[in-house]
Every structure is written in C-alpha cells, then in structure tokens.
Amino acid sequence: MPNGDLILGAGDGTIAKLSVQTMKTQVTNQVLGAVTSLALTNDCTNFFCGTNQSNIYFVDTERLIPELRNTCHHEKVNDVLFPPNYSEVFATCSLSEIRVWDTRNRTEQLRIQVPNVECNCICFMPDGKSLLSGWSDGVIRSFLP
C-alpha cells in the first residue's frame, strides 16, 4: 500500500490489513478457500483475491469487504442440466456441490454444498421448482431454491 500497510491472505481464507508502523492487524475478513493470490488495483483502493476454491473476489482496501466477482467448480463437473423448456438457467454438479447459473449474465445464482460426498447427477423436477440429486454416499437428495 502507498502508506506502507500490508494486505495479507492466508490458507484458512483470512484476508487482513496490517499496519507496518504498529505491526497490528487493522481489519480482517474471510473468503471461501485458501488465498492463493492478491493483486492491487492501480489506485490501491481495491484488490483482487484469488482462492484455491476457484473464487475471485474484489475487495476494498479500507474495510476488506469481499465481493465475489467470478467463480467456477474447482473439481471435475459431473453433470450439466437445463430445466425443461427453460434456457435462462442451468445447473451443474461436482465434488460436494451443486450450482445454479444464470445464462443471461453468466453468474452463479445458487450454491448447494454437502461436505465429504460427491454429487454424481442432477435432475430438475418437471415443474422446475426443485432439484433431485444423486450422491456418492448412495443418498438421493432434493433441494428447493
């Protein structure tokens, strides 16, 4: 930072601003996944934060409030599905998660996470109001948005 302060990222997803003069943490916050990269904007008012969970955040340097800017699955995709007769959203599944995407603005609208199991397949119900999913633990789960 121009004033000498440091922006730090950690393996537990912590981002922090450290005063070089006092060596004390001024502000901290949390992102999803271990921080793998930090890049300041030219004016030093914001920075991009990348994680090992394939998330990219835009963060202001004063309050360290992260805004998710881009994301994707960080493991192989097992299934991709559009609801019947509707092309404005689609769903994908991967290791421990299902995501619903908006095709118009190319953004993630919903993320469903089930730890320690892999989602193998997904299916929209005919009315498009819920998702059925098959998981590696042999359980079929249903989710509402």
Side-chain angles (χ1 to χ4, degrees):
M1 302 286 300
N3 65 356
D5 289 349
L6 297 175
I7 300 292
L8 308 171
D12 66 352
T14 299
I15 51 176
K17 184 176 178 181
L18 179 72
S19 169
V20 173
Q21 295 178 352
T22 64
M23 294 309 286
K24 291 187 179 180
T25 303
Q26 296 175 325
V27 184
T28 65
N29 212 326
Q30 199 75 27
V31 294
L32 182 60
V35 176
T36 57
S37 59
L38 299 172
L40 276 172
T41 58
N42 287 338
D43 63 4
C44 297
T45 59
N46 296 283
F47 64 93
F48 289 95
C49 172
T51 74
N52 70 346
Q53 298 291 307
S54 298
N55 295 314
I56 299 174
Y57 296 91
F58 189 67
V59 186
D60 72 277
T61 56
E62 288 300 314
R63 298 175 296 149
L64 295 190
I65 297 175
E67 175 189 324
L68 185 62
R69 282 291 177 94
N70 205 349
T71 186
C72 66
H73 289 288
H74 63 280
E75 292 287 337
K76 66 180 179 170
V77 174
N78 292 328
D79 203 357
V80 177
L81 183 70
F82 284 86
N85 303 314
Y86 193 70
S87 62
E88 293 186 10
V89 299
F90 66 97
T92 57
C93 70
S94 182
L95 181 68
S96 75
E97 65 188 13
I98 297 170
R99 298 183 189 206
V100 177
W101 305 87
D102 184 319
T103 59
R104 292 166 295 167
N105 58 22
R106 299 181 310 263
T107 58
E108 178 185 317
Q109 298 299 301
L110 175 68
R111 185 182 305 188
I112 301 164
Q113 294 180 302
V114 181
N116 304 318
V117 289
E118 183 172 359
C119 184
N120 295 315
C121 58
I122 50 178
C123 178
F124 280 101
M125 292 300 292
D127 64 5
K129 294 183 179 178
S130 62
L131 279 167
L132 286 179
S133 55
W135 297 79
S136 61
D137 60 359
V139 176
I140 297 172
R141 295 177 172 89
S142 179
F143 299 97
L144 300 171

